[in-house]
Short mmCIF file of all heavy atoms in Angstrom, two decimals:
data_model
loop_
_atom_site.label_atom_id
_atom_site.label_comp_id
_atom_site.label_asym_id
_atom_site.label_seq_id
_atom_site.Cartn_x
_atom_site.Cartn_y
_atom_site.Cartn_z
N MET A 17 -17.08 24.02 29.90
CA MET A 17 -16.91 23.34 31.16
C MET A 17 -15.49 23.55 31.63
O MET A 17 -14.55 23.50 30.85
CB MET A 17 -17.19 21.86 30.94
CG MET A 17 -16.85 21.00 32.09
SD MET A 17 -17.16 19.30 31.68
CE MET A 17 -15.54 18.68 31.96
N THR A 18 -15.31 23.80 32.89
CA THR A 18 -13.98 23.83 33.47
C THR A 18 -13.92 22.82 34.61
O THR A 18 -14.93 22.49 35.22
CB THR A 18 -13.61 25.23 34.01
OG1 THR A 18 -14.58 25.60 34.98
CG2 THR A 18 -13.57 26.25 32.89
N THR A 19 -12.75 22.32 34.85
CA THR A 19 -12.56 21.31 35.88
C THR A 19 -11.17 21.46 36.46
O THR A 19 -10.41 22.34 36.06
CB THR A 19 -12.76 19.90 35.28
OG1 THR A 19 -12.71 18.92 36.31
CG2 THR A 19 -11.74 19.60 34.21
N SER A 20 -10.83 20.59 37.39
CA SER A 20 -9.45 20.61 37.89
C SER A 20 -8.51 20.09 36.80
O SER A 20 -8.96 19.61 35.75
CB SER A 20 -9.35 19.76 39.16
OG SER A 20 -9.83 18.46 38.94
N ARG A 21 -7.23 20.18 37.04
CA ARG A 21 -6.21 19.84 36.06
C ARG A 21 -6.38 18.39 35.58
O ARG A 21 -6.60 17.47 36.35
CB ARG A 21 -4.84 20.01 36.69
CG ARG A 21 -3.68 19.79 35.74
CD ARG A 21 -2.35 20.10 36.42
NE ARG A 21 -2.15 19.44 37.69
CZ ARG A 21 -1.58 18.23 37.81
NH1 ARG A 21 -1.16 17.59 36.76
NH2 ARG A 21 -1.44 17.69 39.03
N ILE A 22 -6.30 18.21 34.27
CA ILE A 22 -6.37 16.87 33.68
C ILE A 22 -5.02 16.19 33.89
O ILE A 22 -3.98 16.74 33.53
CB ILE A 22 -6.72 16.95 32.18
CG1 ILE A 22 -8.13 17.51 32.00
CG2 ILE A 22 -6.59 15.58 31.52
CD1 ILE A 22 -8.52 17.80 30.57
N VAL A 23 -5.05 14.99 34.46
CA VAL A 23 -3.81 14.27 34.73
C VAL A 23 -3.66 13.05 33.83
O VAL A 23 -2.57 12.53 33.65
CB VAL A 23 -3.68 13.84 36.21
CG1 VAL A 23 -3.58 15.05 37.11
CG2 VAL A 23 -4.84 12.94 36.63
N SER A 24 -4.76 12.56 33.24
CA SER A 24 -4.69 11.39 32.39
C SER A 24 -5.81 11.45 31.37
O SER A 24 -6.91 11.91 31.66
CB SER A 24 -4.84 10.13 33.26
OG SER A 24 -4.89 8.98 32.45
N MET A 25 -5.49 10.99 30.16
CA MET A 25 -6.49 10.98 29.11
C MET A 25 -6.30 9.74 28.25
O MET A 25 -5.21 9.50 27.74
CB MET A 25 -6.39 12.23 28.25
CG MET A 25 -7.44 12.38 27.22
SD MET A 25 -7.34 14.04 26.49
CE MET A 25 -8.55 13.87 25.23
N ASP A 26 -7.35 8.95 28.14
CA ASP A 26 -7.33 7.76 27.28
C ASP A 26 -8.16 8.08 26.05
O ASP A 26 -9.39 8.08 26.10
CB ASP A 26 -7.90 6.56 28.05
CG ASP A 26 -7.87 5.26 27.26
OD1 ASP A 26 -7.79 5.32 26.00
OD2 ASP A 26 -7.93 4.20 27.89
N THR A 27 -7.49 8.42 24.94
CA THR A 27 -8.22 8.83 23.74
C THR A 27 -9.00 7.68 23.12
O THR A 27 -10.04 7.91 22.52
CB THR A 27 -7.27 9.43 22.69
OG1 THR A 27 -6.21 8.52 22.42
CG2 THR A 27 -6.68 10.75 23.19
N GLU A 28 -8.51 6.46 23.25
CA GLU A 28 -9.22 5.33 22.70
C GLU A 28 -10.54 5.08 23.42
O GLU A 28 -11.57 4.85 22.80
CB GLU A 28 -8.33 4.07 22.77
CG GLU A 28 -8.90 2.91 21.97
CD GLU A 28 -7.91 1.79 21.88
OE1 GLU A 28 -6.77 2.03 21.44
OE2 GLU A 28 -8.29 0.66 22.27
N ALA A 29 -10.51 5.15 24.76
CA ALA A 29 -11.72 4.96 25.56
C ALA A 29 -12.49 6.25 25.74
O ALA A 29 -13.56 6.25 26.30
CB ALA A 29 -11.35 4.39 26.92
N GLN A 30 -11.93 7.38 25.28
CA GLN A 30 -12.52 8.72 25.42
C GLN A 30 -12.85 9.02 26.89
O GLN A 30 -13.94 9.42 27.24
CB GLN A 30 -13.75 8.88 24.52
CG GLN A 30 -13.40 8.92 23.06
CD GLN A 30 -14.57 9.29 22.20
OE1 GLN A 30 -15.42 8.45 21.92
NE2 GLN A 30 -14.65 10.55 21.84
N LEU A 31 -11.83 8.84 27.74
CA LEU A 31 -11.97 9.04 29.17
C LEU A 31 -10.90 10.00 29.67
O LEU A 31 -9.73 9.89 29.31
CB LEU A 31 -11.84 7.70 29.90
CG LEU A 31 -12.05 7.71 31.41
CD1 LEU A 31 -13.50 8.03 31.76
CD2 LEU A 31 -11.67 6.37 32.01
N VAL A 32 -11.32 10.97 30.50
CA VAL A 32 -10.42 11.95 31.08
C VAL A 32 -10.48 11.81 32.60
O VAL A 32 -11.56 11.68 33.18
CB VAL A 32 -10.82 13.38 30.66
CG1 VAL A 32 -10.05 14.42 31.44
CG2 VAL A 32 -10.64 13.58 29.17
N ILE A 33 -9.31 11.84 33.25
CA ILE A 33 -9.24 11.79 34.69
C ILE A 33 -8.53 13.05 35.17
O ILE A 33 -7.50 13.42 34.62
CB ILE A 33 -8.51 10.52 35.19
CG1 ILE A 33 -9.25 9.28 34.68
CG2 ILE A 33 -8.40 10.52 36.71
CD1 ILE A 33 -8.53 7.98 34.93
N THR A 34 -9.09 13.69 36.20
CA THR A 34 -8.53 14.95 36.71
C THR A 34 -7.77 14.73 38.01
O THR A 34 -7.84 13.66 38.61
CB THR A 34 -9.65 15.98 36.94
OG1 THR A 34 -10.46 15.54 38.02
CG2 THR A 34 -10.49 16.19 35.69
N SER A 35 -7.08 15.79 38.45
CA SER A 35 -6.31 15.70 39.70
C SER A 35 -7.18 15.48 40.92
O SER A 35 -6.70 14.98 41.94
CB SER A 35 -5.44 16.95 39.88
OG SER A 35 -6.26 18.09 39.95
N SER A 36 -8.46 15.81 40.83
CA SER A 36 -9.37 15.56 41.94
C SER A 36 -10.03 14.19 41.83
O SER A 36 -10.97 13.88 42.55
CB SER A 36 -10.44 16.66 42.01
OG SER A 36 -11.26 16.59 40.87
N HIS A 37 -9.52 13.38 40.89
CA HIS A 37 -9.97 12.00 40.67
C HIS A 37 -11.36 11.92 40.02
O HIS A 37 -11.99 10.87 40.06
CB HIS A 37 -9.92 11.16 41.94
CG HIS A 37 -8.58 11.16 42.58
ND1 HIS A 37 -7.49 10.52 42.05
CD2 HIS A 37 -8.13 11.78 43.70
CE1 HIS A 37 -6.44 10.72 42.81
NE2 HIS A 37 -6.79 11.49 43.82
N SER A 38 -11.84 13.02 39.47
CA SER A 38 -13.08 12.97 38.72
C SER A 38 -12.80 12.32 37.36
O SER A 38 -11.70 12.43 36.83
CB SER A 38 -13.63 14.38 38.46
OG SER A 38 -13.99 15.00 39.65
N GLN A 39 -13.80 11.60 36.84
CA GLN A 39 -13.66 10.97 35.55
C GLN A 39 -14.75 11.49 34.61
O GLN A 39 -15.90 11.60 35.02
CB GLN A 39 -13.77 9.45 35.66
CG GLN A 39 -12.65 8.84 36.46
CD GLN A 39 -12.72 7.32 36.48
OE1 GLN A 39 -13.45 6.70 35.71
NE2 GLN A 39 -11.96 6.71 37.36
N TYR A 40 -14.37 11.80 33.40
CA TYR A 40 -15.31 12.31 32.40
C TYR A 40 -15.26 11.43 31.17
O TYR A 40 -14.19 11.19 30.62
CB TYR A 40 -14.95 13.76 32.02
CG TYR A 40 -15.08 14.73 33.15
CD1 TYR A 40 -13.99 15.04 33.96
CD2 TYR A 40 -16.30 15.36 33.43
CE1 TYR A 40 -14.10 15.94 35.00
CE2 TYR A 40 -16.43 16.25 34.47
CZ TYR A 40 -15.32 16.54 35.26
OH TYR A 40 -15.45 17.42 36.29
N GLN A 41 -16.42 10.96 30.76
CA GLN A 41 -16.53 10.19 29.52
C GLN A 41 -16.82 11.18 28.40
O GLN A 41 -17.79 11.92 28.46
CB GLN A 41 -17.69 9.17 29.62
CG GLN A 41 -17.84 8.31 28.39
CD GLN A 41 -16.70 7.32 28.25
OE1 GLN A 41 -16.35 6.63 29.19
NE2 GLN A 41 -16.11 7.26 27.08
N LEU A 42 -15.94 11.24 27.42
CA LEU A 42 -16.09 12.17 26.32
C LEU A 42 -17.01 11.60 25.26
O LEU A 42 -16.98 10.39 24.99
CB LEU A 42 -14.72 12.50 25.72
CG LEU A 42 -13.67 13.00 26.71
CD1 LEU A 42 -12.34 13.20 26.00
CD2 LEU A 42 -14.14 14.28 27.37
N ILE A 43 -17.80 12.45 24.64
CA ILE A 43 -18.72 12.04 23.58
C ILE A 43 -18.40 12.84 22.33
O ILE A 43 -18.30 14.06 22.38
CB ILE A 43 -20.19 12.28 24.00
CG1 ILE A 43 -20.51 11.46 25.26
CG2 ILE A 43 -21.13 11.91 22.87
CD1 ILE A 43 -21.85 11.76 25.86
N GLY A 44 -18.23 12.17 21.21
CA GLY A 44 -17.94 12.85 19.95
C GLY A 44 -16.47 13.22 19.81
O GLY A 44 -15.65 12.92 20.67
N LYS A 45 -16.17 13.88 18.73
CA LYS A 45 -14.79 14.25 18.42
C LYS A 45 -14.32 15.51 19.15
O LYS A 45 -13.15 15.68 19.42
CB LYS A 45 -14.62 14.48 16.90
CG LYS A 45 -14.64 13.21 16.11
CD LYS A 45 -14.36 13.56 14.66
CE LYS A 45 -14.02 12.32 13.89
NZ LYS A 45 -13.53 12.63 12.56
N GLY A 46 -15.24 16.43 19.42
CA GLY A 46 -14.86 17.68 20.05
C GLY A 46 -14.18 18.59 19.04
O GLY A 46 -14.08 18.28 17.85
N LYS A 47 -13.71 19.72 19.53
CA LYS A 47 -12.98 20.66 18.68
C LYS A 47 -12.04 21.47 19.53
O LYS A 47 -12.25 21.65 20.74
CB LYS A 47 -13.90 21.55 17.86
CG LYS A 47 -14.84 22.39 18.66
CD LYS A 47 -15.78 23.17 17.76
CE LYS A 47 -16.85 23.87 18.56
NZ LYS A 47 -17.75 24.62 17.73
N LYS A 48 -10.97 21.94 18.93
CA LYS A 48 -9.97 22.73 19.63
C LYS A 48 -10.41 24.19 19.69
O LYS A 48 -10.94 24.73 18.72
CB LYS A 48 -8.65 22.63 18.88
CG LYS A 48 -7.49 23.28 19.58
CD LYS A 48 -6.20 23.01 18.82
CE LYS A 48 -5.03 23.56 19.59
NZ LYS A 48 -3.76 23.15 18.95
N ALA A 49 -10.20 24.80 20.84
CA ALA A 49 -10.54 26.21 21.01
C ALA A 49 -9.36 26.92 21.67
O ALA A 49 -8.71 26.36 22.56
CB ALA A 49 -11.79 26.37 21.87
N ILE A 50 -9.08 28.12 21.24
CA ILE A 50 -8.01 28.91 21.81
C ILE A 50 -8.60 30.23 22.29
O ILE A 50 -9.31 30.90 21.54
CB ILE A 50 -6.90 29.18 20.76
CG1 ILE A 50 -6.28 27.84 20.33
CG2 ILE A 50 -5.84 30.12 21.32
CD1 ILE A 50 -5.30 27.98 19.18
N ILE A 51 -8.32 30.58 23.54
CA ILE A 51 -8.75 31.88 24.08
C ILE A 51 -7.55 32.51 24.78
O ILE A 51 -6.60 31.83 25.17
CB ILE A 51 -9.93 31.76 25.05
CG1 ILE A 51 -9.53 30.98 26.31
CG2 ILE A 51 -11.16 31.16 24.39
CD1 ILE A 51 -10.47 31.16 27.46
N ASP A 52 -7.59 33.82 24.94
CA ASP A 52 -6.56 34.54 25.67
C ASP A 52 -6.72 34.26 27.17
O ASP A 52 -7.83 34.06 27.66
CB ASP A 52 -6.67 36.04 25.44
CG ASP A 52 -6.31 36.45 24.02
OD1 ASP A 52 -5.53 35.73 23.38
OD2 ASP A 52 -6.81 37.49 23.58
N LEU A 53 -5.62 34.26 27.88
CA LEU A 53 -5.64 34.07 29.32
C LEU A 53 -6.53 35.12 30.00
O LEU A 53 -7.23 34.82 30.97
CB LEU A 53 -4.23 34.11 29.89
CG LEU A 53 -4.07 33.78 31.36
CD1 LEU A 53 -4.62 32.39 31.66
CD2 LEU A 53 -2.62 33.87 31.77
N ASP A 54 -6.56 36.34 29.44
CA ASP A 54 -7.41 37.40 29.99
C ASP A 54 -8.89 37.04 29.95
O ASP A 54 -9.69 37.58 30.69
CB ASP A 54 -7.21 38.69 29.21
CG ASP A 54 -5.83 39.29 29.39
OD1 ASP A 54 -5.14 38.92 30.38
OD2 ASP A 54 -5.42 40.11 28.57
N ASP A 55 -9.28 36.14 29.05
CA ASP A 55 -10.68 35.75 28.88
C ASP A 55 -11.05 34.47 29.61
O ASP A 55 -12.17 33.99 29.53
CB ASP A 55 -11.01 35.58 27.40
CG ASP A 55 -10.89 36.89 26.63
OD1 ASP A 55 -11.20 37.95 27.22
OD2 ASP A 55 -10.49 36.86 25.46
N PHE A 56 -10.10 33.90 30.36
CA PHE A 56 -10.35 32.63 31.02
C PHE A 56 -11.51 32.68 32.01
O PHE A 56 -12.29 31.73 32.11
CB PHE A 56 -9.08 32.14 31.73
CG PHE A 56 -9.21 30.75 32.28
CD1 PHE A 56 -9.28 29.67 31.43
CD2 PHE A 56 -9.27 30.55 33.65
CE1 PHE A 56 -9.42 28.39 31.93
CE2 PHE A 56 -9.41 29.28 34.16
CZ PHE A 56 -9.47 28.19 33.30
N GLU A 57 -11.65 33.80 32.71
CA GLU A 57 -12.76 33.91 33.67
C GLU A 57 -14.11 33.86 32.97
O GLU A 57 -15.07 33.32 33.52
CB GLU A 57 -12.64 35.18 34.52
CG GLU A 57 -11.63 35.07 35.64
CD GLU A 57 -11.91 33.92 36.60
OE1 GLU A 57 -13.07 33.76 37.04
OE2 GLU A 57 -10.98 33.19 36.94
N LEU A 58 -14.20 34.41 31.76
CA LEU A 58 -15.45 34.30 31.00
C LEU A 58 -15.77 32.85 30.70
O LEU A 58 -16.91 32.41 30.80
CB LEU A 58 -15.36 35.10 29.69
CG LEU A 58 -15.31 36.62 29.82
CD1 LEU A 58 -15.02 37.26 28.48
CD2 LEU A 58 -16.62 37.15 30.39
N LEU A 59 -14.74 32.08 30.34
CA LEU A 59 -14.92 30.66 30.08
C LEU A 59 -15.39 29.94 31.33
O LEU A 59 -16.31 29.13 31.30
CB LEU A 59 -13.60 30.06 29.58
CG LEU A 59 -13.63 28.67 29.02
CD1 LEU A 59 -14.46 28.61 27.74
CD2 LEU A 59 -12.22 28.17 28.74
N ARG A 60 -14.78 30.28 32.47
CA ARG A 60 -15.18 29.66 33.75
C ARG A 60 -16.62 29.99 34.13
O ARG A 60 -17.27 29.26 34.84
CB ARG A 60 -14.25 30.11 34.87
CG ARG A 60 -12.88 29.49 34.78
CD ARG A 60 -12.06 29.93 35.97
NE ARG A 60 -12.76 29.61 37.19
CZ ARG A 60 -12.34 28.75 38.11
NH1 ARG A 60 -11.23 28.12 37.93
NH2 ARG A 60 -13.05 28.54 39.20
N HIS A 61 -17.11 31.15 33.65
CA HIS A 61 -18.50 31.55 33.97
C HIS A 61 -19.49 31.02 32.94
O HIS A 61 -20.66 31.41 32.97
CB HIS A 61 -18.58 33.09 34.07
CG HIS A 61 -18.08 33.59 35.38
ND1 HIS A 61 -16.76 33.93 35.58
CD2 HIS A 61 -18.69 33.77 36.57
CE1 HIS A 61 -16.60 34.32 36.83
NE2 HIS A 61 -17.75 34.22 37.44
N GLY A 62 -19.06 30.17 32.06
CA GLY A 62 -19.99 29.48 31.16
C GLY A 62 -20.08 30.01 29.73
O GLY A 62 -20.84 29.48 28.94
N PHE A 63 -19.33 31.05 29.41
CA PHE A 63 -19.32 31.54 28.03
C PHE A 63 -18.54 30.56 27.17
O PHE A 63 -17.50 30.05 27.58
CB PHE A 63 -18.67 32.93 27.94
CG PHE A 63 -19.50 34.03 28.51
CD1 PHE A 63 -19.37 34.39 29.83
CD2 PHE A 63 -20.40 34.72 27.71
CE1 PHE A 63 -20.14 35.41 30.38
CE2 PHE A 63 -21.17 35.75 28.24
CZ PHE A 63 -21.04 36.09 29.56
N SER A 64 -19.03 30.30 25.97
CA SER A 64 -18.32 29.44 25.04
C SER A 64 -17.20 30.24 24.37
O SER A 64 -17.25 31.48 24.33
CB SER A 64 -19.28 28.91 23.97
OG SER A 64 -19.65 29.95 23.08
N PRO A 65 -16.21 29.55 23.81
CA PRO A 65 -15.17 30.28 23.07
C PRO A 65 -15.74 31.14 21.93
O PRO A 65 -15.26 32.25 21.69
CB PRO A 65 -14.27 29.17 22.52
CG PRO A 65 -14.42 28.06 23.52
CD PRO A 65 -15.88 28.14 23.93
N GLU A 66 -16.79 30.67 21.29
CA GLU A 66 -17.43 31.45 20.22
C GLU A 66 -18.06 32.72 20.77
O GLU A 66 -17.96 33.79 20.18
CB GLU A 66 -18.50 30.61 19.49
CG GLU A 66 -17.93 29.46 18.69
CD GLU A 66 -17.67 28.20 19.52
OE1 GLU A 66 -18.05 28.15 20.71
OE2 GLU A 66 -17.03 27.30 18.99
N GLN A 67 -18.71 32.61 21.94
CA GLN A 67 -19.32 33.80 22.56
C GLN A 67 -18.24 34.79 22.99
O GLN A 67 -18.42 36.00 22.86
CB GLN A 67 -20.17 33.38 23.77
CG GLN A 67 -21.43 32.64 23.40
CD GLN A 67 -22.12 32.06 24.61
OE1 GLN A 67 -21.48 31.50 25.49
NE2 GLN A 67 -23.44 32.19 24.65
N ILE A 68 -17.13 34.29 23.50
CA ILE A 68 -16.02 35.17 23.92
C ILE A 68 -15.46 35.92 22.71
O ILE A 68 -15.20 37.10 22.78
CB ILE A 68 -14.93 34.36 24.65
CG1 ILE A 68 -15.48 33.83 25.98
CG2 ILE A 68 -13.68 35.21 24.87
CD1 ILE A 68 -14.59 32.81 26.67
N ARG A 69 -15.29 35.21 21.60
CA ARG A 69 -14.78 35.85 20.38
C ARG A 69 -15.75 36.96 19.93
O ARG A 69 -15.33 38.05 19.54
CB ARG A 69 -14.60 34.85 19.25
CG ARG A 69 -13.24 34.20 19.27
CD ARG A 69 -12.94 33.50 17.97
NE ARG A 69 -13.90 32.46 17.62
CZ ARG A 69 -13.88 31.21 18.10
NH1 ARG A 69 -12.95 30.86 18.94
NH2 ARG A 69 -14.78 30.34 17.74
N THR A 70 -17.07 36.70 20.00
CA THR A 70 -18.06 37.68 19.62
C THR A 70 -18.00 38.90 20.54
O THR A 70 -18.04 40.03 20.06
CB THR A 70 -19.48 37.07 19.63
OG1 THR A 70 -19.52 35.97 18.72
CG2 THR A 70 -20.53 38.08 19.25
N LEU A 71 -17.91 38.65 21.85
CA LEU A 71 -17.81 39.77 22.79
C LEU A 71 -16.58 40.61 22.52
O LEU A 71 -16.63 41.84 22.53
CB LEU A 71 -17.74 39.23 24.22
CG LEU A 71 -19.04 38.70 24.83
CD1 LEU A 71 -18.74 37.98 26.14
CD2 LEU A 71 -20.02 39.83 25.04
N ASN A 72 -15.45 39.97 22.29
CA ASN A 72 -14.20 40.68 22.04
C ASN A 72 -14.22 41.47 20.73
O ASN A 72 -13.69 42.56 20.66
CB ASN A 72 -13.01 39.73 22.03
CG ASN A 72 -12.66 39.27 23.44
OD1 ASN A 72 -13.00 39.90 24.41
ND2 ASN A 72 -11.98 38.14 23.51
N SER A 73 -14.90 40.94 19.72
CA SER A 73 -14.93 41.64 18.43
C SER A 73 -15.91 42.82 18.42
O SER A 73 -15.76 43.73 17.63
CB SER A 73 -15.27 40.67 17.30
OG SER A 73 -16.61 40.21 17.43
N SER A 74 -16.89 42.79 19.35
CA SER A 74 -17.88 43.86 19.36
C SER A 74 -17.58 44.94 20.39
O SER A 74 -18.21 45.99 20.36
CB SER A 74 -19.28 43.30 19.62
OG SER A 74 -19.34 42.73 20.91
N SER A 75 -16.62 44.68 21.29
CA SER A 75 -16.34 45.70 22.33
C SER A 75 -15.28 46.68 21.84
O SER A 75 -14.31 46.28 21.19
CB SER A 75 -15.92 45.02 23.61
OG SER A 75 -14.69 44.33 23.43
N PRO A 76 -15.44 47.96 22.19
CA PRO A 76 -14.45 48.95 21.80
C PRO A 76 -13.14 48.75 22.58
O PRO A 76 -13.16 48.27 23.70
CB PRO A 76 -15.08 50.28 22.16
CG PRO A 76 -16.11 49.97 23.18
CD PRO A 76 -16.54 48.54 22.93
N LEU A 77 -12.04 49.11 21.98
CA LEU A 77 -10.73 48.98 22.66
C LEU A 77 -10.55 49.98 23.74
O LEU A 77 -10.83 51.07 23.75
CB LEU A 77 -9.59 49.06 21.64
CG LEU A 77 -9.57 47.93 20.62
CD1 LEU A 77 -8.46 48.16 19.61
CD2 LEU A 77 -9.31 46.61 21.33
#
């Protein structure tokens, strides 16, 4: 999922507020993911970080 910039996060209430004033209730612990900036568009198009890693590892240089 991608959204506008996160401006506030209440970890105790598991609530995120974005610059467009959207609010997201988080469920579960989640996990940290790191992707290259070059792959950000893939993330925006719905690919998961795991799928992006698989695509990058299987494509020729």
Side-chain angles (χ1 to χ4, degrees):
M17 171 182 122
T18 59
T19 185
S20 54
R21 184 175 53 88
I22 295 172
V23 295
S24 175
M25 185 170 174
D26 182 339
T27 54
E28 191 171 305
Q30 291 189 279
L31 183 67
V32 170
I33 301 172
T34 68
S35 61
S36 65
H37 306 289
S38 295
Q39 295 184 13
Y40 296 92
Q41 182 70 49
L42 306 177
I43 299 173
K45 287 184 165 189
K47 58 184 172 180
K48 186 175 185 173
I50 297 173
I51 64 163
D52 291 333
L53 186 57
D54 293 341
D55 295 325
F56 187 70
E57 282 302 314
L58 291 172
L59 191 65
R60 288 183 54 115
H61 281 91
F63 288 90
S64 71
E66 293 83 9
Q67 290 171 318
I68 293 170
R69 273 195 302 277
T70 300
L71 285 169
N72 286 338
S73 67
S74 64
S75 64
L77 295 176

